[in-house]
Amino acid sequence: CMALHQDEKKPRLLIRFTASNDTLDTLSGMLGVIKGFGTGAVKLRDATQTVLKNFCSIGLGAPPRRPGDKPSIGECDMQLFNKIRQMVEMYNADAAPDEQRAGQLLRTTPVGQELAPIFPKLRLVLRDKAHASRRVTKRPWDADPVLSDTLDSFILGKESIMMLIQNSDAFRDRFAMRVKNSTAAVARAVRNLSMAKQRFDSTSKPIGRFILWTDAVICTAVDIFKERSGKAESLLAVAFLCILTEEKI
């Protein structure tokens, strides 16, 4: 049997798989990635089928033999394709409505001229609750315009001070030095902000570090303003210093 684990982040769809045989030997890996497939449950279903066909295609994307030729489009092994279709019994995706609906379509709705759905033996369409729980941490910020603006101005915005520090080795080193010399009650070595913007739950560290070492962030912004005078980084540091108010802090 086989389980598919799907993660959709516009405009890309990543599908991983876990398979097991009768003796419980397991195999896991990536089925494929596709982008630009559109939106909605039907498009997601069709994209899943495309990824599976690409996985079963021999020579797909092979370099051209002669200069100027296009890469090989490959040839789908229909026997392998149909075998995998019969093996898939579990579909696991985010709790987004279109992804859950796509899972139902994969096991119930015939495709094209066929009388059977893509995965006729699909039994379970599951919600990835751990993945979906990120919304619980994000939506309270969006509910208050002031909090949302503050989070964007200080942490998440492309021109925010924390993103400016995160994306520069020199600024990270300067921030680490300021933290080391800080008079805050919590003292520890900080090398970076440990933030991945595409995962909202990763913002807990930069938010916490901003709160714990606000003085170090402000001092780092002043350093950037002085050392990068006339440059874009200096202007962003000034913009941060100008919007500091008692309410926002």
PDB file of all heavy atoms in Angstrom, residues 164-179:
ATOM      1  N   LEU A 164      15.770  42.747   7.887  1.00  0.00           N
ATOM      2  CA  LEU A 164      17.032  43.381   7.487  1.00  0.00           C
ATOM      3  C   LEU A 164      18.204  42.729   8.200  1.00  0.00           C
ATOM      4  O   LEU A 164      19.242  42.438   7.588  1.00  0.00           O
ATOM      5  CB  LEU A 164      16.970  44.883   7.801  1.00  0.00           C
ATOM      6  CG  LEU A 164      18.136  45.747   7.318  1.00  0.00           C
ATOM      7  CD1 LEU A 164      18.232  45.743   5.807  1.00  0.00           C
ATOM      8  CD2 LEU A 164      17.985  47.178   7.832  1.00  0.00           C
ATOM      9  N   ILE A 165      18.045  42.471   9.485  1.00  0.00           N
ATOM     10  CA  ILE A 165      19.096  41.804  10.259  1.00  0.00           C
ATOM     11  C   ILE A 165      19.245  40.348   9.825  1.00  0.00           C
ATOM     12  O   ILE A 165      20.362  39.838   9.650  1.00  0.00           O
ATOM     13  CB  ILE A 165      18.787  41.894  11.764  1.00  0.00           C
ATOM     14  CG1 ILE A 165      18.825  43.354  12.220  1.00  0.00           C
ATOM     15  CG2 ILE A 165      19.767  41.061  12.573  1.00  0.00           C
ATOM     16  CD1 ILE A 165      18.367  43.569  13.656  1.00  0.00           C
ATOM     17  N   GLN A 166      18.126  39.660   9.634  1.00  0.00           N
ATOM     18  CA  GLN A 166      18.148  38.247   9.275  1.00  0.00           C
ATOM     19  C   GLN A 166      18.877  38.003   7.960  1.00  0.00           C
ATOM     20  O   GLN A 166      19.592  36.995   7.817  1.00  0.00           O
ATOM     21  CB  GLN A 166      16.708  37.721   9.192  1.00  0.00           C
ATOM     22  CG  GLN A 166      16.546  36.330   8.611  1.00  0.00           C
ATOM     23  CD  GLN A 166      16.966  35.235   9.572  1.00  0.00           C
ATOM     24  OE1 GLN A 166      17.216  35.489  10.745  1.00  0.00           O
ATOM     25  NE2 GLN A 166      17.051  34.018   9.067  1.00  0.00           N
ATOM     26  N   ASN A 167      18.735  38.899   7.000  1.00  0.00           N
ATOM     27  CA  ASN A 167      19.245  38.669   5.648  1.00  0.00           C
ATOM     28  C   ASN A 167      20.654  39.206   5.420  1.00  0.00           C
ATOM     29  O   ASN A 167      21.119  39.239   4.284  1.00  0.00           O
ATOM     30  CB  ASN A 167      18.292  39.296   4.624  1.00  0.00           C
ATOM     31  CG  ASN A 167      16.932  38.621   4.621  1.00  0.00           C
ATOM     32  OD1 ASN A 167      16.820  37.434   4.887  1.00  0.00           O
ATOM     33  ND2 ASN A 167      15.891  39.380   4.307  1.00  0.00           N
ATOM     34  N   SER A 168      21.335  39.613   6.461  1.00  0.00           N
ATOM     35  CA  SER A 168      22.693  40.132   6.311  1.00  0.00           C
ATOM     36  C   SER A 168      23.608  39.513   7.357  1.00  0.00           C
ATOM     37  O   SER A 168      23.331  39.596   8.559  1.00  0.00           O
ATOM     38  CB  SER A 168      22.686  41.666   6.450  1.00  0.00           C
ATOM     39  OG  SER A 168      24.005  42.167   6.547  1.00  0.00           O
ATOM     40  N   ASP A 169      24.699  38.907   6.917  1.00  0.00           N
ATOM     41  CA  ASP A 169      25.661  38.329   7.859  1.00  0.00           C
ATOM     42  C   ASP A 169      26.265  39.406   8.755  1.00  0.00           C
ATOM     43  O   ASP A 169      26.445  39.195   9.961  1.00  0.00           O
ATOM     44  CB  ASP A 169      26.780  37.609   7.092  1.00  0.00           C
ATOM     45  CG  ASP A 169      26.286  36.368   6.378  1.00  0.00           C
ATOM     46  OD1 ASP A 169      25.260  35.807   6.810  1.00  0.00           O
ATOM     47  OD2 ASP A 169      26.925  35.953   5.379  1.00  0.00           O
ATOM     48  N   ALA A 170      26.574  40.555   8.168  1.00  0.00           N
ATOM     49  CA  ALA A 170      27.186  41.645   8.934  1.00  0.00           C
ATOM     50  C   ALA A 170      26.230  42.170  10.002  1.00  0.00           C
ATOM     51  O   ALA A 170      26.630  42.404  11.150  1.00  0.00           O
ATOM     52  CB  ALA A 170      27.593  42.780   8.001  1.00  0.00           C
ATOM     53  N   PHE A 171      24.968  42.320   9.645  1.00  0.00           N
ATOM     54  CA  PHE A 171      23.989  42.835  10.604  1.00  0.00           C
ATOM     55  C   PHE A 171      23.693  41.802  11.690  1.00  0.00           C
ATOM     56  O   PHE A 171      23.459  42.162  12.847  1.00  0.00           O
ATOM     57  CB  PHE A 171      22.703  43.237   9.890  1.00  0.00           C
ATOM     58  CG  PHE A 171      22.886  44.361   8.902  1.00  0.00           C
ATOM     59  CD1 PHE A 171      21.957  44.583   7.897  1.00  0.00           C
ATOM     60  CD2 PHE A 171      23.994  45.185   8.961  1.00  0.00           C
ATOM     61  CE1 PHE A 171      22.115  45.607   6.989  1.00  0.00           C
ATOM     62  CE2 PHE A 171      24.180  46.221   8.051  1.00  0.00           C
ATOM     63  CZ  PHE A 171      23.239  46.429   7.061  1.00  0.00           C
ATOM     64  N   ARG A 172      23.694  40.517  11.331  1.00  0.00           N
ATOM     65  CA  ARG A 172      23.480  39.482  12.342  1.00  0.00           C
ATOM     66  C   ARG A 172      24.618  39.477  13.359  1.00  0.00           C
ATOM     67  O   ARG A 172      24.396  39.327  14.555  1.00  0.00           O
ATOM     68  CB  ARG A 172      23.351  38.110  11.681  1.00  0.00           C
ATOM     69  CG  ARG A 172      22.035  37.891  10.960  1.00  0.00           C
ATOM     70  CD  ARG A 172      21.738  36.399  10.788  1.00  0.00           C
ATOM     71  NE  ARG A 172      22.789  35.710  10.058  1.00  0.00           N
ATOM     72  CZ  ARG A 172      22.802  35.551   8.740  1.00  0.00           C
ATOM     73  NH1 ARG A 172      21.811  36.042   8.008  1.00  0.00           N
ATOM     74  NH2 ARG A 172      23.779  34.897   8.141  1.00  0.00           N
ATOM     75  N   ASP A 173      25.840  39.617  12.868  1.00  0.00           N
ATOM     76  CA  ASP A 173      26.989  39.666  13.778  1.00  0.00           C
ATOM     77  C   ASP A 173      26.908  40.881  14.691  1.00  0.00           C
ATOM     78  O   ASP A 173      27.221  40.793  15.889  1.00  0.00           O
ATOM     79  CB  ASP A 173      28.295  39.698  12.978  1.00  0.00           C
ATOM     80  CG  ASP A 173      28.573  38.389  12.258  1.00  0.00           C
ATOM     81  OD1 ASP A 173      27.963  37.364  12.643  1.00  0.00           O
ATOM     82  OD2 ASP A 173      29.380  38.388  11.305  1.00  0.00           O
ATOM     83  N   ARG A 174      26.489  42.001  14.121  1.00  0.00           N
ATOM     84  CA  ARG A 174      26.367  43.205  14.942  1.00  0.00           C
ATOM     85  C   ARG A 174      25.270  43.043  15.993  1.00  0.00           C
ATOM     86  O   ARG A 174      25.424  43.447  17.145  1.00  0.00           O
ATOM     87  CB  ARG A 174      26.075  44.407  14.047  1.00  0.00           C
ATOM     88  CG  ARG A 174      25.919  45.737  14.805  1.00  0.00           C
ATOM     89  CD  ARG A 174      27.156  46.033  15.653  1.00  0.00           C
ATOM     90  NE  ARG A 174      28.348  46.119  14.841  1.00  0.00           N
ATOM     91  CZ  ARG A 174      28.781  47.266  14.292  1.00  0.00           C
ATOM     92  NH1 ARG A 174      28.103  48.381  14.482  1.00  0.00           N
ATOM     93  NH2 ARG A 174      29.881  47.277  13.569  1.00  0.00           N
ATOM     94  N   PHE A 175      24.157  42.428  15.611  1.00  0.00           N
ATOM     95  CA  PHE A 175      23.070  42.185  16.561  1.00  0.00           C
ATOM     96  C   PHE A 175      23.533  41.247  17.664  1.00  0.00           C
ATOM     97  O   PHE A 175      23.226  41.459  18.848  1.00  0.00           O
ATOM     98  CB  PHE A 175      21.859  41.596  15.827  1.00  0.00           C
ATOM     99  CG  PHE A 175      20.718  41.227  16.721  1.00  0.00           C
ATOM    100  CD1 PHE A 175      20.009  42.198  17.403  1.00  0.00           C
ATOM    101  CD2 PHE A 175      20.356  39.890  16.885  1.00  0.00           C
ATOM    102  CE1 PHE A 175      18.946  41.847  18.235  1.00  0.00           C
ATOM    103  CE2 PHE A 175      19.291  39.540  17.711  1.00  0.00           C
ATOM    104  CZ  PHE A 175      18.594  40.522  18.388  1.00  0.00           C
ATOM    105  N   ALA A 176      24.291  40.189  17.300  1.00  0.00           N
ATOM    106  CA  ALA A 176      24.801  39.250  18.298  1.00  0.00           C
ATOM    107  C   ALA A 176      25.718  39.957  19.286  1.00  0.00           C
ATOM    108  O   ALA A 176      25.687  39.678  20.491  1.00  0.00           O
ATOM    109  CB  ALA A 176      25.534  38.100  17.606  1.00  0.00           C
ATOM    110  N   MET A 177      26.528  40.879  18.790  1.00  0.00           N
ATOM    111  CA  MET A 177      27.427  41.624  19.675  1.00  0.00           C
ATOM    112  C   MET A 177      26.622  42.515  20.629  1.00  0.00           C
ATOM    113  O   MET A 177      26.922  42.613  21.823  1.00  0.00           O
ATOM    114  CB  MET A 177      28.384  42.483  18.838  1.00  0.00           C
ATOM    115  CG  MET A 177      29.401  43.266  19.670  1.00  0.00           C
ATOM    116  SD  MET A 177      30.253  44.522  18.703  1.00  0.00           S
ATOM    117  CE  MET A 177      28.925  45.724  18.506  1.00  0.00           C
ATOM    118  N   ARG A 178      25.564  43.161  20.091  1.00  0.00           N
ATOM    119  CA  ARG A 178      24.731  44.021  20.929  1.00  0.00           C
ATOM    120  C   ARG A 178      23.991  43.213  21.994  1.00  0.00           C
ATOM    121  O   ARG A 178      23.808  43.683  23.121  1.00  0.00           O
ATOM    122  CB  ARG A 178      23.738  44.777  20.052  1.00  0.00           C
ATOM    123  CG  ARG A 178      24.377  45.867  19.182  1.00  0.00           C
ATOM    124  CD  ARG A 178      24.967  46.957  20.033  1.00  0.00           C
ATOM    125  NE  ARG A 178      25.465  48.074  19.244  1.00  0.00           N
ATOM    126  CZ  ARG A 178      26.027  49.160  19.777  1.00  0.00           C
ATOM    127  NH1 ARG A 178      26.165  49.255  21.099  1.00  0.00           N
ATOM    128  NH2 ARG A 178      26.447  50.138  19.001  1.00  0.00           N
ATOM    129  N   VAL A 179      23.559  42.017  21.634  1.00  0.00           N
ATOM    130  CA  VAL A 179      22.896  41.161  22.617  1.00  0.00           C
ATOM    131  C   VAL A 179      23.869  40.773  23.717  1.00  0.00           C
ATOM    132  O   VAL A 179      23.523  40.774  24.910  1.00  0.00           O
ATOM    133  CB  VAL A 179      22.329  39.903  21.931  1.00  0.00           C
ATOM    134  CG1 VAL A 179      21.885  38.870  22.968  1.00  0.00           C
ATOM    135  CG2 VAL A 179      21.152  40.270  21.034  1.00  0.00           C
TER     136      VAL A 179
END
